[in-house]
Amino acid sequence: SQQGEEDPQALSIQEGENATMNCSYKTSINNLQWYRQNSGRGLVHLILIRSNEREKHSGRLRVTLDTSKKSSSLLITASRAADTASYFCATPNSGYSTLTFGKGTMLLVSP
Amino acid sequence: DGGITQSPKYLFRKEGQNVTLSCEQNLNHDAMYWYRQDPGQGLRLIYYSQIVNDFQKGDIAEGYSVSREKKESFPLTVTSAQKNPTAFYLCASSLGQGGIGELFFGEGSRLTVL
């Protein structure tokens, strides 16, 4: 049961540019999380935003949440080649016992 | 160093064989999870356990089995009944319920059926 869907599926930018990824979900949630996955590795948690928050920052990351539109965005500012990875949004299931992940956005940052 | 250890990293199996993937955590987390990832796909939940000696099926449990006899261990068996087992398997854990806090992931196990 896919809850979050990321857009775009793939994004290619130059170092120094900003990268924006979007996530849409279907049902009401109390939080939304973003994770990063380097090729062939496990996922790493980036940020969690609660339903009563509109925006959250962590270093070069900025996450927004619009509960009325059931959407979230992840902005990476001043991208670096090391940011090349897949980025996933994740939302709780109805019982809040697990997370459901989208298919991810594959980001390529070229030097 | 606290974390989640998955082994083996790569595993090859012949059709008809059962294989067991290991997942161990020393984070003292109550909940553990197994996800499957196929190329270009998101993660799909196989099984999860919120407490020792208890586990629940996820979205794609058919052909898989698990046990949770110890808090730190949550092995996954891929049985011969799993029709398409070639995939990347990820184990995760969380301190509390997985839907309200951060998941910590292992480095994954890649299973290839020959």
Side-chain angles (χ1 to χ4, degrees):
Chain A
S1 51
Q2 213 80 33
Q3 164 74 302
E5 291 292 337
E6 293 88 346
D7 172 64
Q9 290 185 350
L11 181 59
S12 182
I13 60 175
Q14 301 289 319
E15 266 192 327
E17 295 180 339
N18 295 343
T20 300
M21 290 157 263
N22 303 296
C23 171
S24 58
Y25 58 93
K26 295 174 185 164
T27 61
S28 295
I29 54 174
N30 73 352
N31 77 86
L32 183 143
Q33 303 182 36
W34 285 91
Y35 288 79
R36 165 192 169 128
Q37 183 182 34
N38 286 12
S39 181
R41 306 291 297 273
L43 276 72
V44 175
H45 180 263
L46 294 176
I47 201 163
L48 180 154
I49 186 166
R50 303 194 187 284
S51 57
N52 61 353
E53 298 174 308
R54 287 288 174 263
E55 189 170 307
K56 199 164 182 179
H57 296 254
S58 177
R60 293 183 295 112
L61 305 181
R62 188 189 81 152
V63 168
T64 63
L65 180 64
D66 187 334
T67 54
S68 66
K69 295 181 179 178
K70 291 188 171 58
S71 68
S72 174
S73 67
L74 170 67
L75 168 67
I76 304 174
T77 59
S79 295
R80 306 166 182 167
D83 294 327
T84 293
S86 291
Y87 293 82
F88 296 88
C89 68
T91 52
N93 69 338
S94 57
Y96 290 91
S97 55
T98 65
L99 284 180
T100 301
F101 289 81
K103 293 185 179 181
T105 292
M106 191 177 301
L107 173 65
L108 173 64
V109 182
S110 301
Chain B
D1 251 329
I4 298 183
T5 302
Q6 289 188 240
S7 63
K9 191 168 178 62
Y10 299 96
L11 185 60
F12 298 89
R13 140 189 148 181
K14 294 181 181 178
E15 283 193 26
Q17 287 181 336
N18 291 357
V19 294
T20 297
L21 308 180
S22 169
C23 178
E24 303 276 332
Q25 54 100 356
N26 60 3
L27 299 167
N28 200 30
H29 285 173
D30 289 314
M32 297 186 75
Y33 314 83
W34 275 105
Y35 287 91
R36 169 182 171 141
Q37 186 177 32
D38 294 284
Q41 300 294 312
L43 280 64
R44 291 184 291 168
L45 183 65
I46 305 173
Y47 268 99
Y48 66 102
S49 168
Q50 294 180 293
I51 196 169
V52 174
N53 292 322
D54 188 41
F55 48 82
Q56 287 76 41
K57 293 181 180 179
D59 299 318
I60 55 165
E62 185 175 351
Y64 299 98
S65 66
V66 293
S67 63
R68 187 86 187 275
E69 297 176 0
K70 298 186 296 182
K71 186 175 184 177
E72 58 270 22
S73 178
F74 191 40
L76 173 73
T77 297
V78 184
T79 75
S80 56
Q82 169 49 234
K83 298 192 187 322
N84 185 19
T86 294
F88 189 51
Y89 291 88
L90 287 158
C91 179
S93 70
S94 64
L95 183 60
Q97 283 187 282
I100 59 175
E102 175 184 351
L103 261 58
F104 292 78
F105 283 84
E107 287 296 305
S109 292
R110 188 170 299 280
L111 172 63
T112 303
V113 174
L114 304 172

